[in-house]
Amino acid sequence: MPRMISILIIAGVFLLLDFYAFQAFRVLIGYLPTYPRQIIYVVYWLISLVAIASFLFYNLGGKSVLTDGQRTFIFAWIFVNYASKFFGSIVLVIDDIVRLGQWAYAQFAPPAESTSGERATGISRSEFLAQASVVATVVPAIGLGYGVASGAHNYLVHQVKVPIANLPRGLEGIRIAQLSDIHSGSFFNKKAVMHGIELVMAEKPDLIFFTGDLVNNKATEVEEYIPVFSKLRAPLGIYSILGNHDYGDYTSWPSSEVKRTNLENVKEAHKLMNWQLLLDENRTLTIGDNRLAIIGVENWGTGGFAQYGNLNKAYKGADDVDTRILLSHDPSHWDAQVRSQHPDIELTLSGHTHGGQVGVEWGNFRWSFVQYRYKQWAGLYQEGDQQLYVNRGFGYIGYPGRLGIRPEITILELTRA
């Protein structure tokens, strides 16, 4: 029942956004003759009611009968529709608040000379607000729509040199491909995903690491993509870990046993793709005369995220090697435990943040709302002799696209500091 109430409240908010957006829309087309204007009104509300009906259908059981692509399409349509109307409605809501304040003031203030509310020249107040509201609606709608249509799979290969103190010469030049946050349940374009895998293989990496979130919730999401990700190859192997979404914590299950079975199926998917899943454990690679430890910890994050991982257990036996690389999905783990408990872990690789999926990266300037939640949210960070790289993610969740923060394939090259 609480979930039903929440869904109905959200639908009510959507209807309110439709109402506010309609006020601006009505002013702008007020010059049209009555008949075509009424037809446009009917079309507007028909589209709005279909969007709300789609939202209710999606959340009240319909999601289970839709394919991953259909779910993503419906979610994208609802998200872009109401996210853009939200920005447009802000203009009108602010004006309503100002008018309410003026009315309240007028009840206690002495009478003032009346004004018509119109300028001597130019457009009226209502026309100005309508135009401002429409601009505030259309611009985000175009941007977010473009992010779905073009940005979702517009992969960017980041070439990153990682200088490591005391790196043996035998490990210098090793090239590591990092993927993170695939979220296969959100995909709607298998051909584009395959292109991303081809970009990885074109770099001819020595090692490939995947740092968690293979699925959104359920193991079935990745089934049709197992043949795609199975095409990844690296001479020194492919190693992977679990992310917070892989445990199935964000959906309802008929029983705890079904949830456990789902997690086992997620783990089995890694095996089917020939990825070596590390569950609080490590592997030591002997490369010439040198030894490189790959440490994989289960998900561990701050701020309310699950803390399944045991770093000390994962690290055990990795002290007698030349260099250590830790795979830990959530970058908040680095400050919380890694740097203080194991200062000899030279490099940690994480994901989780998606770079916020929406933001700005222009030269050395970077901004995304996610930076207010995570100190380390995209790219390379260093404290002393320890470094952390946060991958922006291969996939997407929630907003089914990317705008300004492109999906990432990272190629890390180990160098001597």
Side-chain angles (χ1 to χ4, degrees):
M1 184 59 69
R3 182 173 182 272
M4 172 72 77
I5 294 174
S6 299
I7 291 171
L8 293 177
I9 290 174
I10 294 173
V13 171
F14 287 167
L15 190 60
L16 185 62
L17 290 174
D18 284 321
F19 172 77
Y20 265 105
F22 179 70
Q23 303 313 306
F25 189 62
R26 187 175 61 177
V27 170
L28 284 186
I29 65 170
Y31 66 91
L32 293 175
T34 302
Y35 183 66
R37 190 169 69 245
Q38 289 177 341
I39 291 176
I40 294 173
Y41 290 168
V42 170
V43 171
Y44 174 91
W45 281 109
L46 183 62
I47 292 174
S48 297
L49 293 175
V50 168
I52 292 175
S54 298
F55 169 78
L56 293 173
F57 170 76
Y58 183 92
N59 287 281
L60 296 177
K63 182 168 62 174
S64 61
V65 302
L66 299 171
T67 66
D68 290 341
Q70 290 170 336
R71 285 195 294 267
T72 300
F73 175 79
I74 290 177
F75 189 91
W77 179 40
I78 295 171
F79 181 91
V80 172
N81 185 22
Y82 287 108
S84 58
K85 285 179 180 176
F86 168 78
F87 290 110
S89 297
I90 287 176
V91 176
L92 301 180
V93 169
I94 292 174
D95 181 62
D96 282 348
I97 293 173
V98 171
R99 287 174 181 269
L100 181 62
Q102 291 173 339
W103 175 85
Y105 176 77
Q107 306 310 304
F108 303 98
E113 293 184 10
S114 62
T115 59
S116 65
E118 303 284 334
R119 295 179 181 269
T121 60
I123 63 175
S124 69
R125 176 190 179 94
S126 61
E127 289 173 325
F128 170 76
L129 289 170
Q131 292 180 13
S133 178
V134 169
V135 169
T137 300
V138 171
V139 171
I142 293 174
L144 293 172
Y146 176 81
V148 174
S150 181
H153 299 285
N154 188 19
Y155 302 106
L156 179 62
V157 179
H158 289 254
Q159 303 279 355
V160 183
K161 290 186 180 293
V162 183
I164 294 179
N166 304 314
L167 181 73
R169 292 196 179 276
L171 300 180
E172 189 172 14
I174 286 181
R175 288 165 53 79
I176 300 168
Q178 182 195 3
L179 298 178
S180 193
D181 300 271
I182 285 174
H183 289 287
S184 50
S186 298
F187 288 152
F188 57 88
N189 189 334
K190 185 182 286 187
K191 184 177 179 180
V193 175
M194 187 65 231
H195 174 64
I197 298 307
E198 290 169 352
L199 289 175
V200 178
M201 295 311 300
E203 295 294 331
K204 297 180 169 57
D206 302 301
L207 271 166
I208 298 176
F209 294 145
F210 173 66
T211 46
D213 279 358
L214 180 62
V215 300
N216 293 343
N217 295 293
K218 298 180 178 180
T220 52
E221 297 167 7
V222 76
E223 287 178 354
E224 65 175 303
Y225 287 94
I226 287 177
V228 175
F229 293 111
S230 295
K231 295 184 182 298
L232 290 171
R233 294 285 187 276
L236 296 179
I238 304 174
Y239 296 88
S240 60
I241 57 172
L242 298 176
N244 56 301
H245 280 268
D246 294 319
Y247 296 89
D249 291 340
Y250 307 123
T251 191
S252 299
W253 300 97
S255 69
S256 57
E257 181 59 35
V258 173
K259 182 181 178 182
R260 282 194 297 270
T261 299
N262 179 74
L263 178 56
E264 292 306 313
N265 290 339
V266 171
K267 295 176 182 177
E268 180 66 18
H270 288 250
K271 185 183 298 184
L272 293 173
M273 295 184 296
N274 296 312
W275 297 4
Q276 298 185 55
L277 180 62
L278 301 178
L279 302 168
D280 288 346
E281 55 191 320
N282 63 77
R283 299 286 185 273
T284 298
L285 306 181
T286 301
I287 304 170
D289 296 329
N290 304 116
R291 305 177 72 206
L292 173 66
I294 312 301
I295 306 167
V297 67
E298 293 202 51
N299 190 76
W300 197 102
T302 61
F305 286 98
Q307 298 181 348
Y308 294 112
N310 185 326
L311 181 59
N312 290 329
K313 178 183 176 183
Y315 177 89
K316 188 174 181 180
D319 50 344
D320 188 24
V321 298
D322 297 296
T323 304
R324 286 147 290 268
I325 298 176
L326 171 67
L327 311 182
S328 181
H329 177 68
D330 192 318
S332 65
H333 196 193
W334 195 56
D335 277 338
Q337 287 190 339
V338 178
R339 291 199 299 114
S340 59
Q341 295 183 14
H342 295 284
D344 58 345
I345 294 179
E346 292 89 349
L347 175 62
T348 299
L349 302 181
S350 298
H352 183 60
T353 69
H354 297 206
Q357 292 184 208
V358 176
V360 178
E361 292 196 84
W362 188 13
N364 293 325
F365 177 78
R366 296 188 307 169
W367 177 90
S368 173
F369 68 88
V370 79
Q371 71 188 60
Y372 304 112
R373 169 63 178 84
Y374 290 95
K375 179 181 176 182
Q376 298 92 11
W377 60 278
L380 189 64
Y381 301 85
Q382 182 168 1
E383 293 287 345
D385 288 335
Q386 291 183 283
Q387 296 183 80
L388 165 70
Y389 190 86
V390 184
N391 182 287
R392 295 162 180 81
F394 186 85
Y396 40 85
I397 193 172
Y399 169 53
R402 297 273 185 156
L403 186 61
I405 305 290
R406 292 170 62 180
E408 176 174 0
I409 296 165
T410 316
I411 303 298
L412 303 136
E413 182 178 340
L414 304 186
T415 63
R416 290 168 60 86

